[in-house]
Amino acid sequence: PDVREPNLNLPIGWDPNTAESGWGESYNEAMAAIGSLAQLSVKDRDLGVPPANPSDGDRYIVGPSALGAWQGQEGNVAVWLSHLSSWVFFEPVIGWQAYIEDEEVLTVYKTTGWAAGISI
């Protein structure tokens, strides 16, 4: 099937059962990561509980004292991927930038965590 990553519309429908090279799952994971993190914009960074009805590709920076599916993921980027019916988490590295939609600020990840951000 033609499965697409929701943010950059990258193909992620590689079927590992038909992959001749044996790297089908790695390809899917790489495309999901690229599409999830390129031009990073997150809905919120204060939530500790995942929203009840996320849309495909919704992204959040997990807030403090996280619970449920987000427990233990504080500060990481959470991405809802509908084709997996699951949250996927990415640990930020120094220099990552993200636009925080509900605050209308641009932030960067530093050694001390996500910066307060600047209005743009």
Side-chain angles (χ1 to χ4, degrees):
D2 184 22
V3 179
R4 296 286 174 158
E5 178 280 321
N7 293 301
L8 294 178
N9 199 34
L10 297 169
I12 55 174
W14 188 280
D15 183 353
N17 296 320
T18 61
E20 294 179 19
S21 65
W23 59 276
E25 269 315 299
S26 296
Y27 174 83
N28 287 344
E29 291 171 13
M31 289 298 103
I34 291 168
S36 295
L37 300 173
Q39 301 298 321
L40 183 57
S41 178
V42 299
K43 294 190 168 295
D44 198 302
R45 63 169 165 180
D46 302 313
L47 301 179
V49 178
N53 296 305
S55 294
D56 194 26
D58 279 358
R59 298 174 287 187
Y60 295 84
I61 294 173
V62 178
S65 305
L67 300 171
W70 286 3
Q71 186 171 5
Q73 299 292 335
E74 292 85 349
N76 290 342
V77 176
V79 182
W80 178 256
L81 295 179
S82 293
H83 75 281
L84 297 176
S85 297
S86 180
W87 290 100
V88 177
F89 300 95
F90 299 94
E91 185 176 348
V93 296
I94 294 171
W96 279 19
Q97 298 175 34
Y99 178 70
I100 312 296
E101 296 173 18
D102 70 325
E103 298 175 35
E104 296 184 343
V105 299
L106 185 62
T107 184
V108 66
Y109 190 77
K110 313 183 306 181
T111 57
T112 56
W114 291 99
I118 56 170
S119 295
I120 53 171

